[in-house]
Coordinates of all heavy atoms in Angstrom, one line a residue:
M16 N 0.8 -1.2 0.0 CA 0.0 0.0 0.0 C 0.9 1.2 0.0 O 0.4 2.3 -0.5 CB -0.9 0.0 1.2 CG -2.0 -1.1 1.2 SD -3.0 -1.1 -0.4 CE -3.9 0.4 -0.2
K17 N 2.1 1.2 0.5 CA 3.0 2.3 0.6 C 3.3 2.8 -0.9 O 3.4 4.0 -1.1 CB 4.3 2.0 1.2 CG 5.1 3.2 1.5 CD 6.3 2.8 2.4 CE 7.4 3.8 2.6 NZ 7.0 5.2 2.8
V18 N 3.3 1.9 -1.9 CA 3.6 2.3 -3.3 C 2.5 3.3 -3.7 O 2.8 4.1 -4.6 CB 3.6 1.0 -4.1 CG1 3.6 1.4 -5.6 CG2 4.8 0.2 -3.7
L19 N 1.2 3.1 -3.2 CA 0.1 3.8 -3.7 C -0.1 5.2 -2.9 O -1.1 5.9 -3.1 CB -1.1 3.0 -3.7 CG -1.1 1.8 -4.7 CD1 -2.3 1.0 -4.6 CD2 -0.8 2.2 -6.1
E20 N 0.7 5.3 -1.9 CA 0.6 6.5 -0.9 C 0.9 7.8 -1.8 O 1.8 7.8 -2.5 CB 1.6 6.4 0.2 CG 1.0 6.2 1.5 CD 2.1 6.1 2.6 OE1 3.1 6.8 2.5 OE2 1.8 5.3 3.5
G21 N 0.1 8.7 -1.6 CA 0.3 9.9 -2.3 C -1.1 10.3 -3.0 O -1.8 9.6 -3.5
R22 N -1.4 11.6 -2.9 CA -2.6 12.2 -3.4 C -2.8 11.9 -4.9 O -4.0 11.7 -5.3 CB -2.7 13.7 -3.2 CG -3.9 14.3 -3.6 CD -4.0 15.8 -3.1 NE -5.2 16.3 -3.5 CZ -5.5 17.6 -3.4 NH1 -4.6 18.3 -2.8 NH2 -6.7 18.1 -3.9
W23 N -1.7 11.9 -5.7 CA -1.9 11.8 -7.2 C -1.6 10.5 -7.8 O -1.8 10.3 -9.0 CB -1.1 12.9 -7.8 CG -1.6 14.3 -7.3 CD1 -0.9 15.0 -6.4 CD2 -2.8 14.9 -7.6 NE1 -1.5 16.2 -6.1 CE2 -2.7 16.2 -6.8 CE3 -3.9 14.7 -8.4 CZ2 -3.7 17.1 -6.9 CZ3 -4.8 15.8 -8.4 CH2 -4.8 16.9 -7.7
K24 N -1.0 9.5 -7.1 CA -0.5 8.3 -7.6 C -1.6 7.5 -8.3 O -1.4 7.0 -9.4 CB 0.2 7.5 -6.6 CG 1.6 8.1 -6.3 CD 2.4 7.2 -5.3 CE 3.7 7.8 -4.9 NZ 4.4 7.1 -4.0
L25 N -2.7 7.3 -7.7 CA -3.8 6.6 -8.2 C -4.2 7.2 -9.5 O -4.5 6.5 -10.5 CB -5.0 6.4 -7.3 CG -4.8 5.4 -6.2 CD1 -6.0 5.5 -5.2 CD2 -4.5 4.0 -6.6
L26 N -4.4 8.5 -9.6 CA -4.8 9.2 -10.8 C -3.8 9.0 -11.9 O -4.2 8.8 -13.1 CB -5.0 10.7 -10.5 CG -6.2 11.1 -9.7 CD1 -6.2 12.5 -9.3 CD2 -7.4 10.5 -10.3
I27 N -2.5 9.0 -11.6 CA -1.5 8.8 -12.6 C -1.7 7.4 -13.2 O -1.6 7.1 -14.3 CB -0.1 9.0 -12.0 CG1 0.1 10.5 -11.7 CG2 1.0 8.4 -12.9 CD1 1.4 10.7 -10.8
L28 N -1.8 6.4 -12.2 CA -1.9 5.0 -12.7 C -3.2 4.9 -13.5 O -3.1 4.1 -14.6 CB -2.0 4.1 -11.4 CG -0.7 4.0 -10.6 CD1 -1.0 3.1 -9.4 CD2 0.4 3.5 -11.4
F29 N -4.3 5.4 -13.1 CA -5.5 5.3 -14.0 C -5.3 5.9 -15.4 O -5.8 5.4 -16.4 CB -6.6 5.9 -13.3 CG -7.2 5.2 -12.2 CD1 -7.4 5.7 -10.9 CD2 -7.6 3.8 -12.3 CE1 -7.9 5.0 -9.9 CE2 -8.0 3.1 -11.2 CZ -8.2 3.7 -10.0
Q30 N -4.5 6.9 -15.5 CA -4.1 7.5 -16.8 C -3.4 6.5 -17.7 O -3.4 6.6 -18.9 CB -3.5 8.9 -16.6 CG -4.3 10.0 -16.0 CD -5.5 10.3 -16.9 OE1 -5.5 10.4 -18.1 NE2 -6.6 10.6 -16.2
L31 N -2.6 5.8 -17.0 CA -1.6 4.9 -17.7 C -2.1 3.5 -18.0 O -1.5 2.7 -18.7 CB -0.3 4.8 -17.1 CG 0.5 6.1 -17.0 CD1 1.8 6.0 -16.1 CD2 0.8 6.7 -18.3
F32 N -3.2 3.2 -17.4 CA -3.8 1.8 -17.5 C -4.1 1.5 -18.9 O -4.3 2.3 -19.7 CB -5.0 1.6 -16.7 CG -4.8 1.3 -15.3 CD1 -5.8 1.4 -14.3 CD2 -3.6 1.0 -14.8 CE1 -5.6 1.3 -13.0 CE2 -3.3 0.8 -13.5 CZ -4.3 0.9 -12.6
G33 N -4.1 0.2 -19.3 CA -4.5 -0.3 -20.6 C -3.3 -0.1 -21.6 O -3.5 -0.1 -22.8
G34 N -2.2 0.0 -21.0 CA -0.9 0.0 -21.9 C -0.7 1.3 -22.6 O 0.1 1.4 -23.5
K35 N -1.3 2.4 -22.0 CA -1.1 3.8 -22.5 C 0.3 4.2 -22.4 O 0.9 3.9 -21.3 CB -2.0 4.7 -21.9 CG -3.5 4.5 -22.3 CD -4.3 5.6 -21.7 CE -5.8 5.4 -21.8 NZ -6.6 6.3 -21.0
V36 N 0.9 4.9 -23.3 CA 2.1 5.6 -23.1 C 1.9 7.0 -23.3 O 1.3 7.5 -24.4 CB 3.1 5.1 -24.2 CG1 4.5 5.8 -24.1 CG2 3.3 3.5 -24.1
L37 N 2.2 7.8 -22.3 CA 1.9 9.2 -22.3 C 3.1 10.1 -22.1 O 4.0 9.7 -21.3 CB 0.8 9.5 -21.2 CG -0.6 8.9 -21.3 CD1 -1.5 9.3 -20.2 CD2 -1.2 9.3 -22.6
R38 N 3.1 11.3 -22.7 CA 4.2 12.2 -22.4 C 3.8 12.9 -21.2 O 2.7 13.0 -20.8 CB 4.3 13.1 -23.7 CG 4.8 12.4 -24.9 CD 4.9 13.3 -26.0 NE 6.1 14.2 -25.9 CZ 6.6 14.9 -26.8 NH1 6.2 14.9 -27.9 NH2 7.6 15.6 -26.4
F39 N 4.9 13.6 -20.7 CA 4.7 14.3 -19.5 C 3.5 15.4 -19.7 O 2.7 15.5 -18.8 CB 6.0 15.0 -19.0 CG 5.9 15.8 -17.7 CD1 5.8 15.1 -16.5 CD2 5.6 17.2 -17.8 CE1 5.6 15.9 -15.3 CE2 5.5 17.9 -16.6 CZ 5.5 17.2 -15.3
S40 N 3.7 16.1 -20.7 CA 2.6 17.1 -21.0 C 1.2 16.6 -21.1 O 0.3 17.2 -20.7 CB 3.0 17.9 -22.3 OG 3.0 17.1 -23.4
E41 N 1.1 15.3 -21.6 CA -0.3 14.7 -21.7 C -0.8 14.5 -20.3 O -2.0 14.6 -20.0 CB -0.2 13.5 -22.5 CG 0.0 13.8 -24.1 CD 0.3 12.5 -24.8 OE1 1.1 11.6 -24.4 OE2 -0.3 12.4 -25.9
L42 N 0.1 14.0 -19.4 CA -0.3 13.7 -18.1 C -0.7 15.0 -17.4 O -1.6 15.0 -16.6 CB 0.8 13.0 -17.2 CG 1.0 11.6 -17.6 CD1 2.4 11.0 -16.9 CD2 -0.1 10.7 -17.0
E43 N 0.1 16.1 -17.6 CA -0.3 17.3 -17.1 C -1.7 17.8 -17.4 O -2.4 18.3 -16.6 CB 0.7 18.4 -17.5 CG 1.9 18.6 -16.6 CD 2.7 19.9 -17.1 OE1 3.0 19.9 -18.3 OE2 3.0 20.6 -16.2
R44 N -2.0 17.7 -18.7 CA -3.3 18.1 -19.2 C -4.4 17.3 -18.7 O -5.5 17.7 -18.5 CB -3.4 18.1 -20.8 CG -2.7 19.2 -21.4 CD -3.0 19.3 -23.0 NE -2.5 18.2 -23.6 CZ -1.3 18.0 -24.1 NH1 -0.4 19.0 -23.9 NH2 -0.9 17.1 -24.8
A45 N -4.1 15.9 -18.5 CA -5.2 15.0 -18.0 C -5.5 15.3 -16.5 O -6.5 14.9 -16.0 CB -4.7 13.6 -18.1
M46 N -4.5 15.9 -15.8 CA -4.7 16.3 -14.4 C -4.4 17.7 -14.1 O -3.4 18.1 -13.4 CB -3.9 15.3 -13.6 CG -4.1 13.9 -13.8 SD -3.0 12.7 -12.7 CE -1.5 13.0 -13.5
P47 N -5.3 18.6 -14.5 CA -5.0 20.0 -14.3 C -4.9 20.5 -13.0 O -4.3 21.6 -12.7 CB -6.1 20.7 -15.1 CG -7.2 19.7 -15.1 CD -6.6 18.3 -15.1
A48 N -5.4 19.8 -11.9 CA -5.4 20.2 -10.5 C -4.0 20.0 -9.9 O -3.7 20.6 -8.9 CB -6.4 19.6 -9.7
V49 N -3.2 19.2 -10.5 CA -1.8 18.8 -9.8 C -0.8 19.8 -10.4 O -0.8 20.2 -11.5 CB -1.5 17.4 -10.1 CG1 -1.2 17.2 -11.6 CG2 -0.2 17.0 -9.4
S50 N 0.1 20.3 -9.5 CA 1.2 21.2 -9.9 C 2.3 20.3 -10.6 O 2.3 19.1 -10.4 CB 1.8 21.8 -8.7 OG 2.5 21.0 -8.0
Q51 N 3.0 21.0 -11.4 CA 4.1 20.3 -12.2 C 5.1 19.7 -11.2 O 5.5 18.5 -11.4 CB 4.8 21.4 -13.1 CG 5.8 20.7 -14.1 CD 6.4 21.8 -15.0 OE1 7.1 22.7 -14.5 NE2 6.1 21.6 -16.3
K52 N 5.4 20.4 -10.2 CA 6.3 19.8 -9.2 C 5.8 18.6 -8.5 O 6.6 17.6 -8.4 CB 6.6 21.0 -8.1 CG 7.6 20.5 -7.1 CD 7.7 21.6 -5.9 CE 8.5 21.0 -4.8 NZ 8.7 22.0 -3.7
M53 N 4.6 18.6 -8.2 CA 4.0 17.4 -7.5 C 3.9 16.2 -8.5 O 4.2 15.1 -8.1 CB 2.7 17.7 -7.0 CG 2.0 16.6 -6.1 SD 3.0 16.0 -4.8 CE 3.0 17.4 -3.7
L54 N 3.5 16.5 -9.7 CA 3.5 15.5 -10.7 C 4.8 14.8 -10.9 O 4.9 13.5 -10.9 CB 2.9 16.0 -12.0 CG 2.7 15.0 -13.2 CD1 1.8 13.8 -12.7 CD2 2.1 15.7 -14.4
I55 N 5.9 15.6 -11.0 CA 7.2 15.1 -11.3 C 7.6 14.2 -10.0 O 8.1 13.1 -10.1 CB 8.2 16.2 -11.4 CG1 8.0 16.9 -12.7 CG2 9.6 15.8 -11.3 CD1 8.7 18.2 -12.9
Q56 N 7.4 14.7 -8.8 CA 7.6 14.0 -7.6 C 7.0 12.7 -7.5 O 7.5 11.6 -7.2 CB 7.3 14.9 -6.4 CG 7.6 14.3 -5.1 CD 7.3 15.2 -3.9 OE1 6.1 15.8 -3.9 NE2 8.1 15.4 -3.0
Q57 N 5.6 12.6 -7.8 CA 4.9 11.3 -7.7 C 5.3 10.4 -8.8 O 5.4 9.2 -8.5 CB 3.4 11.7 -7.8 CG 2.9 12.6 -6.9 CD 2.4 12.0 -5.5 OE1 1.5 11.2 -5.4 NE2 3.4 12.0 -4.6
L58 N 5.6 11.0 -10.0 CA 6.1 10.0 -11.1 C 7.5 9.4 -10.7 O 7.7 8.2 -10.9 CB 6.2 10.8 -12.4 CG 5.0 11.1 -13.1 CD1 5.1 12.1 -14.2 CD2 4.4 9.7 -13.7
R59 N 8.3 10.2 -10.1 CA 9.6 9.7 -9.7 C 9.6 8.6 -8.6 O 10.2 7.6 -8.6 CB 10.5 10.8 -9.1 CG 11.1 11.7 -10.2 CD 12.0 12.8 -9.6 NE 12.6 13.6 -10.8 CZ 13.0 14.8 -10.6 NH1 12.9 15.4 -9.4 NH2 13.4 15.5 -11.7
Q60 N 8.6 8.8 -7.7 CA 8.3 7.8 -6.7 C 7.8 6.5 -7.3 O 8.3 5.4 -6.9 CB 7.5 8.3 -5.6 CG 8.1 9.4 -4.6 CD 7.1 10.0 -3.8 OE1 5.9 9.6 -3.8 NE2 7.5 11.0 -3.0
L61 N 6.9 6.6 -8.2 CA 6.4 5.4 -8.8 C 7.5 4.7 -9.7 O 7.4 3.5 -9.8 CB 5.2 5.8 -9.7 CG 3.9 6.2 -9.0 CD1 2.9 6.9 -9.9 CD2 3.3 5.0 -8.4
E62 N 8.3 5.5 -10.3 CA 9.5 5.0 -11.0 C 10.4 4.2 -10.1 O 10.7 3.0 -10.4 CB 10.2 6.0 -11.8 CG 11.2 5.5 -12.7 CD 12.0 6.6 -13.5 OE1 11.8 7.9 -13.2 OE2 12.9 6.3 -14.2
E63 N 10.7 4.8 -9.0 CA 11.6 4.2 -7.9 C 11.0 2.9 -7.4 O 11.8 1.9 -7.2 CB 11.9 5.1 -6.8 CG 12.9 6.2 -7.2 CD 12.9 7.3 -6.1 OE1 12.5 7.0 -5.0 OE2 13.4 8.4 -6.3
D64 N 9.7 2.8 -7.3 CA 9.0 1.7 -6.8 C 8.8 0.5 -8.0 O 8.2 -0.5 -7.6 CB 7.7 2.1 -6.2 CG 7.9 2.8 -4.9 OD1 8.9 2.6 -4.2 OD2 6.9 3.6 -4.6
G65 N 9.2 0.9 -9.1 CA 9.1 -0.1 -10.2 C 7.7 -0.2 -10.8 O 7.4 -1.2 -11.4
V66 N 6.8 0.8 -10.6 CA 5.5 0.7 -11.2 C 5.4 1.4 -12.5 O 4.7 0.9 -13.4 CB 4.5 1.4 -10.1 CG1 3.1 1.4 -10.7 CG2 4.6 0.7 -8.8
V67 N 6.2 2.5 -12.6 CA 6.1 3.3 -13.9 C 7.5 3.2 -14.5 O 8.5 3.3 -13.9 CB 5.8 4.7 -13.5 CG1 6.0 5.6 -14.8 CG2 4.3 4.8 -13.1
R68 N 7.4 3.2 -15.8 CA 8.7 3.2 -16.6 C 8.8 4.6 -17.3 O 7.8 5.1 -17.9 CB 8.6 2.1 -17.7 CG 9.8 2.1 -18.7 CD 9.7 1.0 -19.8 NE 9.4 -0.3 -19.1 CZ 8.4 -1.0 -19.2 NH1 7.3 -0.6 -19.9 NH2 8.3 -2.2 -18.6
R69 N 10.0 5.2 -17.2 CA 10.2 6.5 -17.8 C 11.2 6.3 -19.0 O 12.3 5.7 -18.7 CB 10.9 7.5 -16.8 CG 11.2 8.8 -17.2 CD 11.7 9.7 -16.1 NE 11.9 11.0 -16.4 CZ 13.1 11.6 -16.7 NH1 14.2 10.9 -16.7 NH2 13.1 12.8 -17.1
T70 N 10.8 6.7 -20.2 CA 11.7 6.6 -21.4 C 12.0 8.0 -21.8 O 11.1 8.7 -22.2 CB 10.9 5.8 -22.4 OG1 10.4 4.5 -21.9 CG2 11.8 5.5 -23.7
V71 N 13.3 8.2 -22.0 CA 13.8 9.5 -22.4 C 14.4 9.3 -23.8 O 15.2 8.4 -24.0 CB 14.9 10.0 -21.4 CG1 15.4 11.4 -21.9 CG2 14.4 10.1 -20.1
Y72 N 13.9 10.1 -24.7 CA 14.5 10.1 -26.1 C 15.4 11.3 -26.2 O 15.1 12.4 -25.9 CB 13.3 10.2 -27.1 CG 12.3 9.0 -27.0 CD1 11.2 9.1 -26.2 CD2 12.6 7.9 -27.7 CE1 10.4 8.1 -26.1 CE2 11.7 6.8 -27.7 CZ 10.6 6.9 -26.8 OH 9.8 5.9 -26.7
Q73 N 16.6 11.0 -26.7 CA 17.6 12.0 -26.8 C 17.3 12.8 -28.1 O 17.8 12.4 -29.2 CB 19.0 11.4 -26.8 CG 19.4 10.7 -25.6 CD 19.3 11.6 -24.4 OE1 19.8 12.8 -24.4 NE2 18.9 11.0 -23.3
Q74 N 16.6 13.9 -28.1 CA 16.2 14.7 -29.2 C 16.0 16.1 -28.6 O 16.0 16.3 -27.5 CB 15.1 14.2 -29.9 CG 13.8 14.2 -29.1 CD 12.6 13.6 -29.8 OE1 12.8 12.6 -30.4 NE2 11.5 14.2 -29.8
V75 N 15.9 17.1 -29.6 CA 15.7 18.4 -29.1 C 14.3 18.9 -29.8 O 14.2 18.8 -31.0 CB 16.7 19.4 -29.6 CG1 16.4 20.9 -29.3 CG2 18.0 18.9 -29.0
P76 N 13.3 19.2 -29.0 CA 13.3 19.3 -27.5 C 13.2 17.9 -27.0 O 12.7 17.0 -27.6 CB 12.0 20.1 -27.2 CG 11.1 19.9 -28.5 CD 12.1 19.7 -29.6
P77 N 13.6 17.7 -25.7 CA 13.7 16.4 -25.1 C 12.2 15.8 -25.0 O 11.2 16.5 -24.8 CB 14.1 16.6 -23.6 CG 14.7 18.0 -23.7 CD 14.1 18.8 -24.8
K78 N 12.1 14.5 -25.3 CA 10.9 13.8 -25.2 C 11.0 12.7 -24.1 O 11.9 11.9 -24.1 CB 10.6 13.3 -26.6 CG 9.3 12.4 -26.6 CD 9.1 11.8 -28.0 CE 8.0 10.9 -28.2 NZ 7.9 10.2 -29.5
V79 N 10.0 12.8 -23.2 CA 10.0 11.8 -22.2 C 8.5 11.2 -22.1 O 7.5 11.9 -22.2 CB 10.2 12.5 -20.7 CG1 10.1 11.4 -19.7 CG2 11.6 13.1 -20.7
E80 N 8.5 9.8 -22.1 CA 7.2 9.2 -22.1 C 7.2 8.3 -20.9 O 8.2 7.8 -20.4 CB 7.1 8.2 -23.3 CG 6.9 9.1 -24.6 CD 6.8 8.1 -25.9 OE1 7.2 7.0 -25.7 OE2 6.2 8.6 -26.8
Y81 N 6.0 8.1 -20.4 CA 5.7 7.3 -19.2 C 4.7 6.1 -19.5 O 3.8 6.4 -20.3 CB 5.1 8.1 -18.0 CG 6.0 9.1 -17.5 CD1 6.1 10.3 -18.1 CD2 6.9 8.8 -16.5 CE1 7.0 11.3 -17.6 CE2 7.8 9.7 -16.0 CZ 7.9 11.0 -16.6 OH 8.8 11.9 -16.1
S82 N 4.9 5.0 -19.0 CA 4.0 3.8 -19.1 C 4.2 3.0 -17.9 O 5.1 3.1 -17.1 CB 4.5 3.0 -20.5 OG 5.8 2.6 -20.2
L83 N 3.3 2.0 -17.8 CA 3.4 1.1 -16.6 C 4.3 0.0 -17.0 O 4.3 -0.6 -18.0 CB 2.0 0.5 -16.4 CG 0.9 1.5 -15.8 CD1 -0.4 0.8 -15.6 CD2 1.4 2.2 -14.5
T84 N 5.0 -0.5 -15.9 CA 5.8 -1.6 -16.1 C 4.9 -2.9 -15.9 O 3.7 -2.7 -15.7 CB 6.9 -1.8 -14.8 OG1 6.1 -1.8 -13.7 CG2 7.8 -0.5 -14.9
E85 N 5.5 -4.1 -16.0 CA 4.7 -5.3 -15.9 C 4.0 -5.3 -14.6 O 2.8 -5.8 -14.3 CB 5.5 -6.6 -16.2 CG 5.8 -6.8 -17.7 CD 6.4 -8.1 -17.9 OE1 6.1 -9.1 -17.1 OE2 7.3 -8.2 -18.7
W86 N 4.8 -5.0 -13.5 CA 4.4 -5.0 -12.2 C 3.2 -3.9 -12.0 O 2.2 -4.2 -11.3 CB 5.5 -4.7 -11.2 CG 5.2 -5.1 -9.8 CD1 4.8 -6.3 -9.3 CD2 5.1 -4.1 -8.8 NE1 4.5 -6.1 -7.9 CE2 4.6 -4.8 -7.6 CE3 5.3 -2.7 -8.6 CZ2 4.5 -4.2 -6.3 CZ3 5.1 -2.1 -7.3 CH2 4.7 -2.8 -6.3
G87 N 3.4 -2.7 -12.7 CA 2.3 -1.7 -12.6 C 1.1 -2.2 -13.3 O 0.0 -2.0 -12.8
Q88 N 1.2 -2.9 -14.4 CA 0.1 -3.5 -15.0 C -0.7 -4.5 -14.2 O -1.9 -4.7 -14.2 CB 0.4 -4.1 -16.4 CG 0.7 -3.2 -17.5 CD -0.5 -2.4 -18.0 OE1 -1.6 -2.6 -17.7 NE2 -0.2 -1.4 -18.8
A89 N 0.1 -5.3 -13.3 CA -0.5 -6.2 -12.4 C -1.4 -5.6 -11.4 O -2.3 -6.3 -10.8 CB 0.6 -7.0 -11.8
L90 N -1.3 -4.2 -11.2 CA -2.1 -3.6 -10.2 C -3.6 -3.2 -10.8 O -4.5 -3.1 -10.1 CB -1.5 -2.3 -9.9 CG -0.4 -2.2 -8.9 CD1 0.3 -0.8 -8.9 CD2 -0.8 -2.6 -7.5
C91 N -3.7 -3.4 -12.1 CA -4.9 -3.0 -12.8 C -6.1 -3.7 -12.2 O -7.1 -3.2 -11.9 CB -4.8 -3.2 -14.3 SG -3.7 -2.1 -15.1
P92 N -6.1 -5.1 -12.0 CA -7.3 -5.7 -11.6 C -7.6 -5.3 -10.2 O -8.8 -5.1 -9.8 CB -6.9 -7.3 -11.6 CG -5.8 -7.3 -12.6 CD -5.1 -6.1 -12.6
A93 N -6.7 -5.1 -9.4 CA -6.9 -4.7 -7.9 C -7.5 -3.3 -7.9 O -8.5 -3.0 -7.2 CB -5.7 -4.7 -7.1
L94 N -7.0 -2.4 -8.7 CA -7.6 -1.0 -8.7 C -9.0 -1.0 -9.4 O -9.7 -0.2 -9.1 CB -6.6 -0.1 -9.4 CG -5.2 0.1 -8.5 CD1 -4.3 1.0 -9.2 CD2 -5.5 0.6 -7.2
D95 N -9.1 -1.9 -10.4 CA -10.5 -2.0 -11.0 C -11.5 -2.4 -10.1 O -12.6 -1.9 -10.0 CB -10.3 -2.9 -12.2 CG -11.7 -2.9 -13.1 OD1 -12.1 -1.8 -13.3 OD2 -12.2 -3.9 -13.4
A96 N -11.1 -3.3 -9.2 CA -12.0 -3.8 -8.1 C -12.3 -2.7 -7.1 O -13.4 -2.5 -6.7 CB -11.4 -5.0 -7.4
L97 N -11.3 -1.8 -6.8 CA -11.5 -0.7 -6.0 C -12.5 0.3 -6.6 O -13.3 0.8 -5.9 CB -10.1 0.0 -5.7 CG -10.1 1.2 -4.7 CD1 -10.6 0.7 -3.4 CD2 -8.7 1.7 -4.6
L98 N -12.4 0.5 -7.9 CA -13.3 1.4 -8.6 C -14.7 1.0 -8.5 O -15.7 1.6 -8.3 CB -12.9 1.6 -10.0 CG -11.7 2.5 -10.3 CD1 -11.4 2.6 -11.8 CD2 -12.2 4.0 -9.9
K99 N -15.0 -0.4 -8.7 CA -16.2 -1.0 -8.7 C -16.8 -0.9 -7.2 O -17.9 -0.5 -7.0 CB -16.1 -2.5 -9.1 CG -16.0 -2.6 -10.5 CD -15.8 -4.1 -11.0 CE -15.5 -4.2 -12.4 NZ -15.3 -5.5 -12.9
W100 N -16.0 -1.1 -6.2 CA -16.4 -0.9 -4.9 C -16.8 0.5 -4.5 O -17.9 0.7 -3.9 CB -15.3 -1.3 -3.9 CG -15.5 -1.1 -2.5 CD1 -16.2 -1.9 -1.6 CD2 -15.1 0.0 -1.7 NE1 -16.3 -1.4 -0.4 CE2 -15.6 -0.2 -0.3 CE3 -14.3 1.2 -1.9 CZ2 -15.3 0.7 0.6 CZ3 -14.1 2.0 -1.0 CH2 -14.6 1.9 0.3
A101 N -16.1 1.5 -5.1 CA -16.4 2.8 -4.8 C -17.7 3.2 -5.6 O -18.6 4.0 -5.1 CB -15.3 3.8 -5.3
A102 N -17.9 2.7 -6.7 CA -19.2 2.9 -7.5 C -20.3 2.3 -6.8 O -21.4 3.0 -6.7 CB -19.1 2.3 -8.8
L103 N -20.2 1.2 -6.1 CA -21.3 0.6 -5.3 C -21.6 1.5 -4.1 O -22.7 1.6 -3.8 CB -20.9 -0.8 -4.8 CG -21.0 -1.9 -5.8 CD1 -20.4 -3.2 -5.2 CD2 -22.3 -2.1 -6.3
R104 N -20.6 2.0 -3.5 CA -20.7 2.9 -2.3 C -21.5 4.2 -2.8 O -22.4 4.6 -2.0 CB -19.5 3.3 -1.8 CG -19.3 4.2 -0.7 CD -19.9 3.7 0.6 NE -19.7 4.6 1.6 CZ -20.6 4.9 2.6 NH1 -21.7 4.1 2.7 NH2 -20.4 5.8 3.5
N105 N -21.2 4.7 -3.9 CA -21.8 5.9 -4.3 C -23.3 5.6 -4.7 O -24.2 6.6 -4.8 CB -21.1 6.5 -5.5 CG -19.7 7.1 -5.0 OD1 -19.7 7.6 -3.9 ND2 -18.8 7.2 -5.9
A106 N -23.6 4.4 -5.2 CA -25.0 4.1 -5.6 C -25.9 3.9 -4.5 O -27.0 3.9 -4.6 CB -24.9 2.8 -6.5
M107 N -25.3 3.7 -3.2 CA -26.2 3.5 -2.0 C -26.9 4.8 -1.6 O -26.6 5.8 -1.7 CB -25.4 3.0 -1.0 CG -24.9 1.6 -1.2 SD -23.9 1.0 0.3 CE -24.0 -0.7 0.0

């Protein structure tokens, strides 16, 4: 559970589910309420924990893409179940 600690980590994971590969700017646009500094911090922690893969392309301007690792993809069923649980709670 420590891996998922943090206000924005679950939202980042939901954005990357389904094998999506997103650039940093796409993640920023998808989550306008998060500051750039916080998004960078949360992505770095997820990368350190082996959940997110960061790919840097050596070009100008620099291009950085984020995707889930295999271990990160393994979280999908558990988080999907959590979403269904939350939906049931809201339906009550």
